[in-house]
Amino acid sequence: KFWEIYHDDNDNKQDGDETDDEEQNKDVFTYESDFDENGIIYAIGSLYGVNDWRNPSTTGLVEIRTASRMGRASKSKDYIIGRDPGIDCYVNATENNWFSINFKKISIRPTNYTL
């Protein structure tokens, strides 16, 4: 398994309440190959297989943040999670640079990842 998405079935859960993994409603995603349709980003972008895939950053389902600006010839930061191979997407070369993906209200437990 590569990712797990945990759905909060109890919005009234108090801080500190423990919930066993077996009791939680979860989806598990297993990596097969780059650009497969098994990952969490694909699931979110296709509304769990209901629609054709759209970049969830451009639709507002996730938020991409970067420590510095994107490179001069780079595509926008939305392309960090895009599915088009061969796209130039990079941040400026600065020390301590990073990017993050905010999954908003979706709780995830990554076990591995691929870029």
Side-chain angles (χ1 to χ4, degrees):
K1 72 186 168 184
F2 224 63
W3 294 91
E4 297 175 342
I5 296 179
Y6 287 83
H7 304 281
D8 188 4
D9 290 334
N10 184 1
D11 289 335
N12 297 320
K13 182 178 168 184
Q14 300 295 316
D15 287 341
D17 287 353
E18 294 294 323
T19 303
D20 186 10
D21 284 352
E22 299 301 317
E23 295 176 20
Q24 291 189 13
N25 181 14
K26 65 182 176 180
D27 298 313
V28 177
F29 300 89
T30 304
Y31 174 85
E32 286 182 20
S33 63
D34 291 349
F35 296 101
D36 65 17
E37 297 179 358
N38 300 333
I40 187 172
I41 299 294
Y42 186 85
I44 295 168
S46 68
L47 299 179
Y48 301 89
V50 173
N51 294 333
D52 290 336
W53 188 84
R54 291 181 55 205
N55 188 318
S57 179
T58 61
T59 60
L61 297 173
V62 301
E63 180 184 15
I64 306 291
R65 292 186 177 186
T66 60
S68 70
R69 293 183 144 172
M70 300 304 289
R72 217 172 38 191
S74 174
K75 294 285 191 179
S76 74
K77 63 186 175 183
D78 299 319
Y79 283 85
I80 289 173
I81 60 171
R83 294 188 53 83
D84 300 319
I87 298 293
D88 286 337
C89 180
Y90 57 92
V91 293
N92 287 323
T94 59
E95 214 172 303
N96 299 317
N97 215 343
W98 54 264
F99 74 88
S100 69
I101 303 170
N102 179 349
F103 288 91
K104 298 187 175 183
K105 294 187 177 195
I106 300 172
S107 298
I108 64 167
R109 182 181 295 170
T111 56
N112 297 284
Y113 68 92
T114 184
L115 299 175

